[in-house]
Amino acid sequence: LLICLIGSAFGYLLFGIGGALWILFLGRIIDGISGGNISTIFAYVADVTVPEERGLYFGRLGAAAGLGFIFGPVIGGFTANLGYNAPLYIAAALTLANVLWGTFFMPESLAPERRSKALKLAQLNPWVQLNKVLAVIDLRWLLLIMFLYFLPFAALQSNIAVLSKEVHGWAPQSISWLFLLIGLESVLVQGLFLKWILPKFGDVVVSVGGLALLLTGYLLIALSVLLHLPILLLIGMAAFGFGDAFSTPALNGLISRRAGPQNQGRVQGGNQSIQALAKVLGPLMGGQVYVLFGPALLYMLGGVAIAVAILIVQQQVRVVERAIGVPSQA
């Protein structure tokens, strides 16, 4: 985790220095190579919590990220008045502060008996690690759900501002309120509601409920285009935000519980890799569908992807739950 944070800080610093296009690319490449922060943090939390509570704590991580999405753009906007590179220097400084915090105040989470005895060069091959994760059939189904989840999610992130402007005539300031809404929903649900809802209903039921809200959100956004009703876009984004806040920690909880105590880092890394692949393909495919067939079809297809994910959860849940040793809930 500390190595990843140092790489991110150096990447932000280079991007702030700028001066040439190749320096900007180098800064992003360094940050990308050392970009295992999220998967490592999830593995850390899995190490120090009991399996039944991981969805709850993953939700708290999501709430913290939601606060970052709320305050980060505000801080960046104000400090940009000092120069366009000022927010990047602040990002580098905050990341270095995290390095100091981790060095002096965070204990190691992984007990010695759970650590690998040796690290071979071949283990650093990402394809080898991902293949090991995908070789576990139950995990393969769960990771397919995550791929179907994030593929339309990434498409939405890349073009919702364009849709809002082209179809409904919203100004950039109005569009920013949509993302503020999602950030607030994330904080509210993952910071408060999940501690009551997850213990009562379990990861599977909460996952399906969240996915159903996502499906509703995509369809409402498509209807807002077909009917030219901005209110449907607002309601659809609200449903989308609640669906994301409920389903993400619950799905990550299922994946973590299935991984077992010695494979948290590998499985969380594989999970983030699958999400990254979806986030690469989503904007590319979404942009083409948006241009060639229009935004309504794009969001309908997003709804189809989520509907397939719901079916997979319903069909595979008993297999996964038997593997992690809990009674079936679906």
Side-chain angles (χ1 to χ4, degrees):
L1 179 59
L2 295 178
I3 291 171
C4 291
L5 289 170
I6 291 170
S8 292
F10 189 50
Y12 287 135
L13 183 62
L14 278 180
F15 203 80
I17 293 171
L21 188 60
W22 70 269
I23 295 180
L24 301 181
F25 276 105
L26 179 62
R28 301 315 300 151
I29 290 170
I30 291 173
D31 191 20
I33 291 174
S34 59
N37 310 43
I38 302 300
S39 54
T40 309
I41 290 171
F42 272 76
Y44 187 103
V45 171
D47 288 339
V48 299
T49 56
V50 296
E52 294 77 14
E53 295 182 348
R54 285 176 190 162
L56 172 62
Y57 283 96
F58 289 159
R60 291 178 178 175
L61 286 178
L67 287 173
F69 280 114
I70 292 171
F71 291 110
V74 174
I75 296 171
F78 279 110
T79 56
N81 294 323
L82 304 173
Y84 287 123
N85 53 358
L88 292 156
Y89 290 143
I90 291 175
L94 287 172
T95 308
L96 285 174
N98 278 331
V99 173
L100 294 175
W101 176 266
T103 301
F104 294 107
F105 296 102
M106 282 184 69
E108 172 55 51
S109 66
L110 192 61
E113 63 271 14
R114 291 182 177 178
R115 300 178 195 175
S116 300
K117 302 304 179 184
L119 180 63
K120 299 179 181 179
L121 187 61
Q123 291 177 283
L124 299 179
N125 186 328
W127 297 111
V128 171
Q129 299 301 322
L130 188 57
N131 282 334
K132 288 183 178 180
V133 173
L134 293 176
V136 182
I137 295 177
D138 305 337
L139 282 173
R140 192 185 305 167
W141 283 110
L142 290 172
L143 292 177
L144 175 59
I145 292 169
M146 297 303 284
F147 180 80
L148 292 170
Y149 181 105
F150 279 98
L151 188 68
F153 186 105
L156 178 144
Q157 284 184 315
S158 66
N159 63 49
I160 191 66
V162 178
L163 181 152
S164 302
K165 182 178 183 298
E166 288 186 347
V167 177
H168 300 300
W170 288 9
Q173 294 87 347
S174 301
I175 297 167
S176 65
W177 286 104
L178 289 178
F179 294 99
L180 176 62
L181 172 66
I182 292 175
L184 290 173
E185 288 175 333
S186 177
V187 173
L188 184 66
V189 170
Q190 298 181 347
L192 295 176
F193 292 167
L194 279 182
K195 66 181 179 181
W196 295 302
I197 293 173
L198 267 178
K200 182 175 179 60
F201 296 104
D203 290 327
V204 174
V205 173
V206 175
S207 297
V208 173
L211 289 170
L213 282 171
L214 278 172
L215 171 60
T216 302
Y218 284 124
L219 295 180
L220 284 173
I221 295 171
L223 280 175
S224 80
V225 175
L226 295 174
L227 302 177
H228 294 280
L229 291 175
I231 187 63
L232 292 180
L233 174 61
L234 184 60
I235 298 173
M237 288 298 291
F240 175 89
F242 279 121
D244 176 60
F246 278 114
S247 55
T248 303
L251 289 170
N252 280 322
L254 278 173
I255 291 172
S256 175
R257 291 165 70 184
R258 182 61 187 91
Q262 293 181 313
N263 293 305
Q264 290 297 325
R266 175 186 295 156
V267 171
Q268 295 298 340
N271 185 14
Q272 294 298 319
S273 297
I274 292 295
Q275 293 180 31
L277 178 61
K279 290 174 183 177
V280 170
L281 296 177
L284 292 174
M285 298 168 62
Q288 292 299 314
V289 174
Y290 187 105
V291 171
L292 295 176
F293 304 103
L297 179 61
L298 172 61
Y299 286 91
M300 288 179 185
L301 291 175
V304 171
I306 298 301
V308 173
I310 292 173
L311 291 175
I312 294 174
V313 173
Q314 295 284 19
Q315 292 297 318
Q316 298 300 318
V317 63
R318 291 180 177 83
V319 176
V320 174
E321 288 191 326
R322 282 198 299 269
I324 61 180
V326 298
S328 181
Q329 298 167 300

